[in-house]
Amino acid sequence: MFAHDALDPRSKLALTMAVIVVAVAARTWLPLVGLLAFVLGFVALGRGYGPVAWVRSIGPILYLLPVLLVLNTLFYAGGESIWTVPVAGYTVGVTTGGVATSGLIALRLLVIAGVAAWFAATTDAERFEAGLVHLGVPWSMAFLLSLSMRLVPTMRHRFTVIEEAQRSRGLTLDGGVVDDARDRIPMFVPFLSAIIRYGYELSDALTARGFDRIDRRTSLVSVEHGSADYLVYLLAIGVVLVGLFVTTVS
């Protein structure tokens, strides 16, 4: 059994991109359901990052899915009409095609967010940067991409701090998913303010350290492929071939 953290960032990136490519190209339920099952199975097989941690990683997207389902159901028409209502001279309703399309979009988003969450949660930012440099990416671009990975836990921590502050002021989050999403709307103003302030602070720190004046950069972090990484590459190729074949046939 392999450890998710021990895999080379380049092999994990290849598998992540393979899943995303097939998920974007899929037009039916079968390849998306297969991809979701594959991601879950891959997470369950490894050590250090199980299905429970995976569900927690995609927790924020679960609040967005109900909103997307409702909007896509209302604005995608097709098939037989299930329910309609006139609104300001226009007819808004629910159709069988709208329900099917919204479900397909939600499942695609869940697959993409799921594999991206696995990659971000099991990949060290410095090793990811070193892997990109080995692939020929300029170190400045590799640093910025790795920096975006560091922002995810930072943003989550700041949102948690804001949520706890709102709870101390009497905010209750005991309803369903839709109610929780609605109750969290007032948090986005201080959250965006905190992220913008953090961006300015980070920009000043990079400027003070002469980020734009360094031509070359050395690193103590090194990345090497192991036997499990080659299997992951084969899995990535298999995902693309099987996924595109199933998409073409279906």
Side-chain angles (χ1 to χ4, degrees):
M1 182 180 292
F2 64 92
H4 293 285
D5 295 339
L7 292 175
D8 191 284
R10 292 167 290 182
S11 64
K12 288 192 286 188
L13 181 62
L15 183 61
T16 301
M17 295 304 300
V19 172
I20 292 176
V21 167
V22 176
V24 172
R27 294 293 180 267
T28 58
W29 290 85
L30 182 59
L32 291 176
V33 172
L35 284 175
L36 184 60
F38 169 78
V39 173
L40 280 171
F42 192 80
V43 168
L45 286 176
R47 302 192 311 269
Y49 184 78
V52 176
W54 181 77
V55 172
R56 290 176 179 173
S57 298
I58 64 172
I61 201 66
L62 298 179
Y63 295 102
L64 182 62
L65 285 179
V67 178
L68 294 178
L69 280 171
V70 172
L71 292 178
N72 291 323
T73 300
L74 292 176
F75 291 100
Y76 276 95
E80 299 181 0
S81 178
I82 301 175
W83 171 82
T84 58
V85 60
V87 178
Y90 296 93
T91 301
V92 179
V94 178
T95 63
T96 55
V99 173
T101 303
S102 63
L104 197 66
I105 294 174
L107 184 57
R108 180 182 291 112
L109 180 62
L110 183 61
V111 171
I112 295 175
V115 71
W118 164 76
F119 179 80
T122 61
T123 305
D124 180 72
E126 293 184 354
R127 297 188 72 235
F128 177 56
E129 179 184 347
L132 291 177
V133 172
H134 277 278
L135 292 175
V137 178
W139 78 264
S140 57
M141 180 62 67
F143 173 77
L144 292 177
L145 291 174
S146 66
L147 184 63
S148 65
M149 290 185 59
R150 294 186 180 99
L151 287 178
V152 174
T154 301
M155 293 171 64
R156 180 175 298 177
H157 171 71
R158 298 201 174 209
F159 189 82
T160 302
V161 172
I162 294 173
E163 181 179 355
E164 292 176 352
Q166 294 291 335
R167 285 178 181 272
S168 66
R169 291 173 172 83
L171 177 67
T172 58
L173 300 172
D174 298 330
V177 176
V178 178
D179 293 334
D180 286 352
R182 184 181 64 249
D183 293 337
R184 282 182 167 85
I185 291 177
M187 302 180 191
F188 284 102
V189 174
F191 174 69
L192 290 176
S193 176
I195 293 301
I196 292 174
R197 184 170 62 251
Y198 176 76
Y200 278 112
E201 295 173 353
L202 183 60
S203 176
D204 292 339
L206 291 176
T207 302
R209 288 166 174 79
F211 176 77
D212 55 346
R213 297 186 179 92
I214 303 175
D215 296 329
R216 298 184 62 184
R217 182 172 184 258
T218 59
S219 176
L220 294 175
V221 179
S222 61
V223 289
E224 295 181 358
H225 285 113
S227 56
D229 293 302
Y230 296 107
L231 294 178
V232 173
Y233 281 121
L234 292 177
L235 279 177
I237 297 174
V239 166
V240 172
L241 295 179
V242 175
L244 294 181
F245 174 76
V246 173
T247 299
T248 303
V249 172
S250 57

